[in-house]
Amino acid sequence: MLAGLNDIYKAQEDLENLKQNYPDLYEQLHHVVSLTRQLQIKYGYMGSLLRDEDLPKYQPQFVRDSILSLYQNEVKKLKRNPDFGKVKELIKDHAKVGDPKLFLLILGAKPELLQGSTIMK
């Protein structure tokens, strides 16, 4: 099921609300999303970590264990934030949009460019 443009705009609006109301949490989330992109780890892996889901489907194949351990520690720091439930709620509320598009919005992608596209998880 593809998310429509209105779904993506709503996700962007909710992300902006998170940024305004929980700036420290949003900054931590932005840091982890940016790190995910820079390490070329699939957004599905990050989403699975955040939701405490099984990971084999998205387990990075070409990332050194030491780097992956550092990455996982950054994700754990985010999850220890007392307001982290807001992130989980946002991800759940926008499941139709999907992890990749949601995380790309955090990095500044324009909703119009995400509409209808199939982005690698």
Side-chain angles (χ1 to χ4, degrees):
M1 176 184 297
L2 287 178
L5 191 55
N6 287 338
D7 298 318
I8 298 170
Y9 276 127
K10 176 65 173 132
Q12 184 181 42
E13 180 183 319
D14 287 351
L15 284 167
E16 189 57 38
N17 287 336
L18 184 73
K19 184 178 183 179
Q20 296 301 317
N21 296 318
Y22 302 92
D24 293 338
L25 175 64
Y26 186 86
E27 185 53 41
Q28 276 186 293
L29 177 60
H30 188 276
H31 167 73
V32 171
V33 172
S34 181
L35 188 60
T36 304
R37 184 172 182 99
Q38 290 175 30
L39 293 175
Q40 298 180 0
I41 293 174
K42 292 185 178 190
Y43 294 120
Y45 181 73
M46 178 186 159
S48 293
L49 284 175
L50 295 178
R51 287 187 297 272
D52 298 317
E53 294 176 347
D54 254 350
L55 301 175
K57 181 177 176 183
Y58 296 113
Q59 186 75 30
Q61 301 297 315
F62 304 105
V63 179
R64 292 179 62 146
D65 287 343
S66 59
I67 300 298
L68 197 55
S69 178
L70 288 169
Y71 173 77
Q72 290 168 343
N73 284 335
E74 291 301 306
V75 173
K76 285 176 189 172
K77 286 181 198 175
L78 170 61
K79 290 172 73 172
R80 283 193 299 262
N81 186 305
D83 296 315
F84 177 70
K86 298 293 181 189
V87 172
K88 283 185 87 167
E89 186 179 311
L90 191 140
I91 291 171
K92 182 182 173 206
D93 289 349
H94 297 290
K96 185 176 178 182
V97 172
D99 294 341
K101 291 178 184 179
L102 196 58
F103 299 149
L104 286 170
L105 285 171
I106 292 169
L107 295 176
K110 303 286 183 228
E112 298 82 6
L113 298 177
L114 299 177
Q115 180 190 15
S117 65
T118 54
I119 298 169
M120 297 299 292
K121 294 185 178 207

Short mmCIF file of all heavy atoms in Angstrom, two decimals, residues 17-46:
data_model
loop_
_atom_site.label_atom_id
_atom_site.label_comp_id
_atom_site.label_asym_id
_atom_site.label_seq_id
_atom_site.Cartn_x
_atom_site.Cartn_y
_atom_site.Cartn_z
N ASN A 17 6.00 18.88 14.69
CA ASN A 17 5.49 19.01 16.05
C ASN A 17 6.43 18.36 17.06
O ASN A 17 6.66 18.91 18.14
CB ASN A 17 4.09 18.38 16.17
CG ASN A 17 3.03 19.22 15.50
OD1 ASN A 17 3.18 20.43 15.33
ND2 ASN A 17 1.95 18.58 15.09
N LEU A 18 6.96 17.20 16.70
CA LEU A 18 7.94 16.53 17.57
C LEU A 18 9.16 17.42 17.76
O LEU A 18 9.66 17.58 18.88
CB LEU A 18 8.34 15.18 16.96
CG LEU A 18 9.29 14.33 17.80
CD1 LEU A 18 8.54 13.72 19.00
CD2 LEU A 18 9.90 13.22 16.96
N LYS A 19 9.61 18.02 16.67
CA LYS A 19 10.78 18.90 16.72
C LYS A 19 10.53 20.10 17.62
O LYS A 19 11.41 20.51 18.40
CB LYS A 19 11.13 19.36 15.30
CG LYS A 19 12.37 20.20 15.19
CD LYS A 19 12.61 20.55 13.72
CE LYS A 19 13.87 21.33 13.53
NZ LYS A 19 14.11 21.63 12.11
N GLN A 20 9.33 20.68 17.54
CA GLN A 20 9.00 21.86 18.34
C GLN A 20 8.80 21.52 19.82
O GLN A 20 9.22 22.26 20.69
CB GLN A 20 7.73 22.53 17.80
CG GLN A 20 7.87 23.08 16.40
CD GLN A 20 8.97 24.12 16.29
OE1 GLN A 20 9.12 24.97 17.13
NE2 GLN A 20 9.76 24.01 15.23
N ASN A 21 8.13 20.40 20.08
CA ASN A 21 7.76 20.05 21.45
C ASN A 21 8.81 19.24 22.21
O ASN A 21 8.83 19.25 23.43
CB ASN A 21 6.43 19.29 21.46
CG ASN A 21 5.30 20.15 20.96
OD1 ASN A 21 5.20 21.32 21.30
ND2 ASN A 21 4.44 19.58 20.13
N TYR A 22 9.67 18.54 21.47
CA TYR A 22 10.70 17.69 22.07
C TYR A 22 12.02 17.88 21.31
O TYR A 22 12.49 16.95 20.65
CB TYR A 22 10.28 16.22 22.05
CG TYR A 22 8.98 15.96 22.76
CD1 TYR A 22 7.76 15.99 22.07
CD2 TYR A 22 8.95 15.70 24.12
CE1 TYR A 22 6.56 15.77 22.72
CE2 TYR A 22 7.75 15.46 24.78
CZ TYR A 22 6.57 15.51 24.07
OH TYR A 22 5.38 15.28 24.73
N PRO A 23 12.59 19.08 21.36
CA PRO A 23 13.77 19.37 20.54
C PRO A 23 14.97 18.44 20.81
O PRO A 23 15.66 18.06 19.86
CB PRO A 23 14.11 20.83 20.86
CG PRO A 23 13.36 21.15 22.11
CD PRO A 23 12.19 20.22 22.18
N ASP A 24 15.21 18.07 22.05
CA ASP A 24 16.33 17.18 22.35
C ASP A 24 16.11 15.79 21.77
O ASP A 24 17.02 15.19 21.19
CB ASP A 24 16.57 17.09 23.86
CG ASP A 24 17.06 18.40 24.45
OD1 ASP A 24 17.60 19.25 23.70
OD2 ASP A 24 16.90 18.59 25.67
N LEU A 25 14.89 15.30 21.91
CA LEU A 25 14.54 13.99 21.34
C LEU A 25 14.67 14.03 19.82
O LEU A 25 15.25 13.11 19.22
CB LEU A 25 13.11 13.63 21.74
CG LEU A 25 12.52 12.35 21.14
CD1 LEU A 25 13.28 11.13 21.61
CD2 LEU A 25 11.04 12.25 21.48
N TYR A 26 14.17 15.09 19.21
CA TYR A 26 14.24 15.20 17.76
C TYR A 26 15.69 15.25 17.28
O TYR A 26 16.04 14.62 16.29
CB TYR A 26 13.47 16.43 17.26
CG TYR A 26 13.41 16.50 15.76
CD1 TYR A 26 12.41 15.83 15.07
CD2 TYR A 26 14.37 17.20 15.03
CE1 TYR A 26 12.35 15.86 13.69
CE2 TYR A 26 14.32 17.23 13.65
CZ TYR A 26 13.32 16.56 12.98
OH TYR A 26 13.29 16.58 11.61
N GLU A 27 16.52 15.96 18.00
CA GLU A 27 17.94 16.06 17.63
C GLU A 27 18.60 14.69 17.71
O GLU A 27 19.40 14.33 16.85
CB GLU A 27 18.65 17.07 18.52
CG GLU A 27 20.08 17.32 18.12
CD GLU A 27 20.27 17.70 16.65
OE1 GLU A 27 19.46 18.49 16.13
OE2 GLU A 27 21.22 17.19 16.02
N GLN A 28 18.28 13.92 18.74
CA GLN A 28 18.82 12.56 18.85
C GLN A 28 18.34 11.70 17.69
O GLN A 28 19.12 10.93 17.11
CB GLN A 28 18.38 11.91 20.16
CG GLN A 28 19.21 12.25 21.36
CD GLN A 28 18.77 11.42 22.55
OE1 GLN A 28 17.67 11.59 23.05
NE2 GLN A 28 19.63 10.52 22.99
N LEU A 29 17.05 11.81 17.37
CA LEU A 29 16.49 11.05 16.25
C LEU A 29 17.16 11.44 14.94
O LEU A 29 17.55 10.58 14.15
CB LEU A 29 14.98 11.29 16.18
CG LEU A 29 14.23 10.62 15.03
CD1 LEU A 29 14.36 9.10 15.09
CD2 LEU A 29 12.76 11.03 15.06
N HIS A 30 17.32 12.73 14.72
CA HIS A 30 17.99 13.22 13.51
C HIS A 30 19.41 12.67 13.43
O HIS A 30 19.88 12.25 12.36
CB HIS A 30 17.99 14.74 13.48
CG HIS A 30 18.47 15.31 12.20
ND1 HIS A 30 19.80 15.50 11.92
CD2 HIS A 30 17.79 15.73 11.10
CE1 HIS A 30 19.93 16.00 10.72
NE2 HIS A 30 18.72 16.15 10.19
N HIS A 31 20.11 12.67 14.56
CA HIS A 31 21.48 12.14 14.61
C HIS A 31 21.52 10.68 14.17
O HIS A 31 22.35 10.29 13.34
CB HIS A 31 22.04 12.30 16.03
CG HIS A 31 23.29 11.52 16.28
ND1 HIS A 31 24.51 11.89 15.77
CD2 HIS A 31 23.50 10.40 17.00
CE1 HIS A 31 25.42 11.01 16.16
NE2 HIS A 31 24.83 10.10 16.90
N VAL A 32 20.61 9.87 14.71
CA VAL A 32 20.61 8.44 14.39
C VAL A 32 20.21 8.22 12.92
O VAL A 32 20.79 7.37 12.23
CB VAL A 32 19.70 7.66 15.36
CG1 VAL A 32 19.51 6.22 14.91
CG2 VAL A 32 20.28 7.69 16.77
N VAL A 33 19.24 8.98 12.43
CA VAL A 33 18.84 8.85 11.02
C VAL A 33 20.01 9.24 10.11
O VAL A 33 20.30 8.54 9.13
CB VAL A 33 17.59 9.72 10.71
CG1 VAL A 33 17.30 9.74 9.22
CG2 VAL A 33 16.38 9.21 11.48
N SER A 34 20.68 10.31 10.44
CA SER A 34 21.83 10.75 9.65
C SER A 34 22.95 9.70 9.68
O SER A 34 23.56 9.40 8.65
CB SER A 34 22.33 12.09 10.19
OG SER A 34 23.43 12.55 9.45
N LEU A 35 23.19 9.15 10.85
CA LEU A 35 24.20 8.11 10.98
C LEU A 35 23.82 6.88 10.15
O LEU A 35 24.68 6.28 9.48
CB LEU A 35 24.35 7.74 12.46
CG LEU A 35 25.48 6.81 12.85
CD1 LEU A 35 26.84 7.40 12.47
CD2 LEU A 35 25.43 6.53 14.35
N THR A 36 22.56 6.54 10.16
CA THR A 36 22.07 5.41 9.37
C THR A 36 22.38 5.63 7.89
O THR A 36 22.89 4.73 7.22
CB THR A 36 20.54 5.24 9.57
OG1 THR A 36 20.27 5.09 10.96
CG2 THR A 36 20.00 4.05 8.81
N ARG A 37 22.11 6.82 7.42
CA ARG A 37 22.37 7.13 6.01
C ARG A 37 23.87 7.11 5.71
O ARG A 37 24.31 6.55 4.71
CB ARG A 37 21.77 8.49 5.66
CG ARG A 37 21.93 8.81 4.18
CD ARG A 37 21.16 10.06 3.83
NE ARG A 37 21.27 10.36 2.42
CZ ARG A 37 20.36 10.06 1.52
NH1 ARG A 37 19.25 9.46 1.89
NH2 ARG A 37 20.52 10.38 0.27
N GLN A 38 24.64 7.73 6.58
CA GLN A 38 26.09 7.81 6.34
C GLN A 38 26.76 6.44 6.35
O GLN A 38 27.72 6.22 5.62
CB GLN A 38 26.73 8.74 7.35
CG GLN A 38 26.37 10.19 7.12
CD GLN A 38 26.90 11.11 8.19
OE1 GLN A 38 27.93 10.86 8.78
NE2 GLN A 38 26.17 12.18 8.45
N LEU A 39 26.25 5.54 7.18
CA LEU A 39 26.82 4.19 7.25
C LEU A 39 26.22 3.27 6.20
O LEU A 39 26.59 2.11 6.09
CB LEU A 39 26.61 3.59 8.64
CG LEU A 39 27.38 4.25 9.78
CD1 LEU A 39 26.99 3.64 11.12
CD2 LEU A 39 28.88 4.15 9.55
N GLN A 40 25.28 3.80 5.42
CA GLN A 40 24.58 3.04 4.38
C GLN A 40 23.89 1.81 4.93
O GLN A 40 23.91 0.73 4.35
CB GLN A 40 25.54 2.70 3.24
CG GLN A 40 26.09 3.92 2.57
CD GLN A 40 27.05 3.61 1.44
OE1 GLN A 40 27.33 2.46 1.13
NE2 GLN A 40 27.55 4.65 0.81
N ILE A 41 23.28 2.00 6.10
CA ILE A 41 22.48 0.94 6.73
C ILE A 41 21.03 1.18 6.29
O ILE A 41 20.57 2.32 6.21
CB ILE A 41 22.62 1.01 8.26
CG1 ILE A 41 24.06 0.64 8.65
CG2 ILE A 41 21.62 0.11 8.96
CD1 ILE A 41 24.37 0.80 10.13
N LYS A 42 20.31 0.12 6.03
CA LYS A 42 18.93 0.26 5.57
C LYS A 42 18.06 0.85 6.68
O LYS A 42 18.20 0.52 7.85
CB LYS A 42 18.37 -1.09 5.14
CG LYS A 42 19.05 -1.60 3.88
CD LYS A 42 18.42 -2.87 3.39
CE LYS A 42 19.13 -3.29 2.11
NZ LYS A 42 18.44 -4.37 1.45
N TYR A 43 17.14 1.73 6.27
CA TYR A 43 16.24 2.36 7.22
C TYR A 43 15.36 1.32 7.92
O TYR A 43 14.94 1.52 9.05
CB TYR A 43 15.38 3.42 6.55
CG TYR A 43 16.19 4.60 6.06
CD1 TYR A 43 16.22 4.94 4.72
CD2 TYR A 43 16.93 5.36 6.95
CE1 TYR A 43 16.96 6.03 4.28
CE2 TYR A 43 17.67 6.45 6.51
CZ TYR A 43 17.69 6.77 5.17
OH TYR A 43 18.42 7.84 4.75
N GLY A 44 15.07 0.23 7.25
CA GLY A 44 14.29 -0.84 7.86
C GLY A 44 14.98 -1.43 9.08
O GLY A 44 14.33 -1.83 10.04
N TYR A 45 16.31 -1.47 9.04
CA TYR A 45 17.08 -1.97 10.18
C TYR A 45 16.91 -1.03 11.36
O TYR A 45 16.63 -1.46 12.48
CB TYR A 45 18.55 -2.11 9.80
CG TYR A 45 19.42 -2.65 10.91
CD1 TYR A 45 19.36 -3.99 11.27
CD2 TYR A 45 20.30 -1.83 11.59
CE1 TYR A 45 20.15 -4.49 12.28
CE2 TYR A 45 21.10 -2.32 12.61
CZ TYR A 45 21.02 -3.66 12.95
OH TYR A 45 21.81 -4.16 13.96
N MET A 46 17.04 0.26 11.10
CA MET A 46 16.86 1.24 12.16
C MET A 46 15.45 1.16 12.73
O MET A 46 15.25 1.14 13.95
CB MET A 46 17.14 2.65 11.65
CG MET A 46 16.94 3.72 12.69
SD MET A 46 17.13 5.36 11.97
CE MET A 46 16.25 6.31 13.19
#
